[in-house]
Amino acid sequence: MANTGAGKVALVTGASAGIGKASAQALLKEGYKVVLAGRRLELLEQAIAETGVPKGQALAVKVDVGDPAGVQALFEQTKNVFNRLDVLFNNAGTGAPATPMEDLSYEQWMTVVNANLTGTFLCMQQAVKIMKAQTPQGGRIINNGSISAHTPRPFSMAYTATKHAVTGLTKTMSLDGRKDNIACGQIDIGNAATPMTERMTKGVPQPNGTTMVEPRMDVEHVANAVVYMASLPLDANVMFMTIMATKMPFAGRG
Ligand SMILES: NC(=O)c1ccc[n+]([C@@H]2O[C@H](COP(=O)([O-])OP(=O)(O)OC[C@H]3O[C@@H](n4cnc5c(N)ncnc54)[C@H](OP(=O)(O)O)[C@@H]3O)[C@@H](O)[C@H]2O)c1
């Protein structure tokens, strides 16, 4: 692939680390203009600087995706600076520590719901408003689900529930988006090497009560998959893609 992003504008949430950072950098290298959003502005600016792209190709915006006013301002700024939006990668997300659900605090629950579910909804809503009104009309939304959108890890009620809910957002968006030329797909990732999965190198709880070190894969494979999904013409859509460490426990009940 080369320069499939020329003339296109993408917005990546959670671009300060891990999958979001790798994907934003891959999109920049592919020629997209990219808005990098997240709460840690200095890391967003560092991610841009690392690519060496010309000033004006990228914009860093500090935002908590669970904050409606902040999200509205993010998309207004995107429109003001780049004048359109072709691709939204709804990537920002977080989990709570592995905790029996009866011990999970309301605050822990809401932190995960706000980032993974409400944040994805709020960003989709603002993206749709821009995409349906722009010329040429339309765009693409890619939601970051998870293997946890299919099956839980032990003690992961908040994360698993919100990731299942993201599947609901994706399916509804891909239906309702048709009238406005908006395609919507979801990438379900398993064990990409990022700060979030660092704990897997030391061992994570398994359904049989043991703790096991799990294999991870290079985050670049996810970034390349996102670039591929983004590069399709709007009359074609990857609705769901599962990309995972080949030998992680998922297939075969373990
Ligand atoms: N790594 C995997 O194997 C894996 C597997 C399945 C799904 N995923 C999903 O992939 C996404 C990224 O995961 P990752 O592994 O790259 O995790 P990560 O390294 O912990 O990065 C998470 C990113 O999300 C941002 N974020 C979190 N809460 C936010 C909020 N309220 N507002 C704005 N930004 C927020 C963080 O930025 P700030 O802290 O700067 O705001 C950070 O950039 C998540 O949705 C995760 O559920 C990852």
Side-chain angles (χ1 to χ4, degrees):
M1 278 182 288
N3 222 21
T4 58
K8 289 195 197 161
V9 180
L11 190 158
V12 179
T13 65
S16 57
I19 291 162
K21 176 179 175 180
S23 300
Q25 291 182 327
L27 288 164
L28 281 168
K29 286 177 194 150
E30 202 62 27
Y32 288 80
K33 291 176 178 153
V34 182
V35 181
L36 293 87
R39 292 166 303 179
R40 291 171 292 174
L41 188 60
E42 64 291 354
L43 292 186
L44 299 171
E45 285 166 348
Q46 192 183 314
I48 296 170
E50 284 171 15
T51 64
V53 294
K55 214 172 155 46
Q57 197 187 329
L59 175 71
V61 180
K62 181 181 164 78
V63 70
D64 183 328
V65 293
D67 170 28
V71 170
Q72 191 178 339
L74 165 68
F75 284 81
E76 278 170 8
Q77 204 178 340
T78 300
K79 180 81 171 42
N80 289 341
V81 173
F82 291 130
N83 204 33
R84 60 181 288 112
L85 179 63
D86 296 286
V87 177
L88 164 64
F89 182 30
N90 261 320
N91 163 79
T94 193
T99 310
M101 65 85 67
E102 62 274 27
D103 299 327
L104 194 70
S105 72
Y106 174 77
E107 288 71 25
Q108 287 174 314
W109 167 260
M110 285 310 296
T111 298
V112 180
V113 170
N114 283 334
N116 298 3
L117 179 55
T118 306
T120 300
F121 167 75
L122 291 173
C123 290
M124 286 204 307
Q125 194 175 47
Q126 293 299 321
V128 166
K129 286 180 185 175
I130 294 176
M131 288 171 175
K132 72 188 282 190
Q134 66 193 1
T135 310
Q137 191 194 47
R140 182 181 309 278
I141 296 173
I142 303 169
N143 290 332
N144 197 332
S146 175
I147 295 296
S148 294
H150 301 266
T151 195
R153 288 181 174 280
F155 307 127
S156 65
M157 184 74 86
Y159 189 75
T160 300
T162 54
K163 291 299 184 177
H164 275 64
V166 168
T167 301
L169 295 180
T170 301
K171 287 183 177 175
T172 313
M173 188 70 251
S174 66
L175 175 61
D176 292 350
R178 291 183 200 169
K179 67 177 176 40
D180 301 314
N181 285 317
I182 296 170
C184 183
Q186 180 166 317
I187 186 159
D188 291 327
I189 301 155
N191 291 16
T194 68
M196 182 185 269
T197 57
E198 197 56 43
R199 65 202 159 85
M200 290 176 182
T201 61
K202 300 187 178 65
V204 286
Q206 302 296 313
N208 66 359
T210 61
T211 296
M212 189 177 87
V213 172
E214 290 190 14
R216 301 193 298 167
M217 64 176 168
D218 195 314
V219 70
E220 288 306 316
H221 303 308
V222 179
N224 292 339
V226 170
V227 168
Y228 168 69
M229 289 169 81
S231 73
L232 289 170
L234 287 180
D235 60 0
N237 187 36
V238 176
M239 193 156 162
F240 290 97
M241 179 190 284
T242 303
I243 178 163
M244 54 185 266
T246 308
K247 297 184 181 179
M248 71 173 284
F250 174 44
R253 305 188 184 189

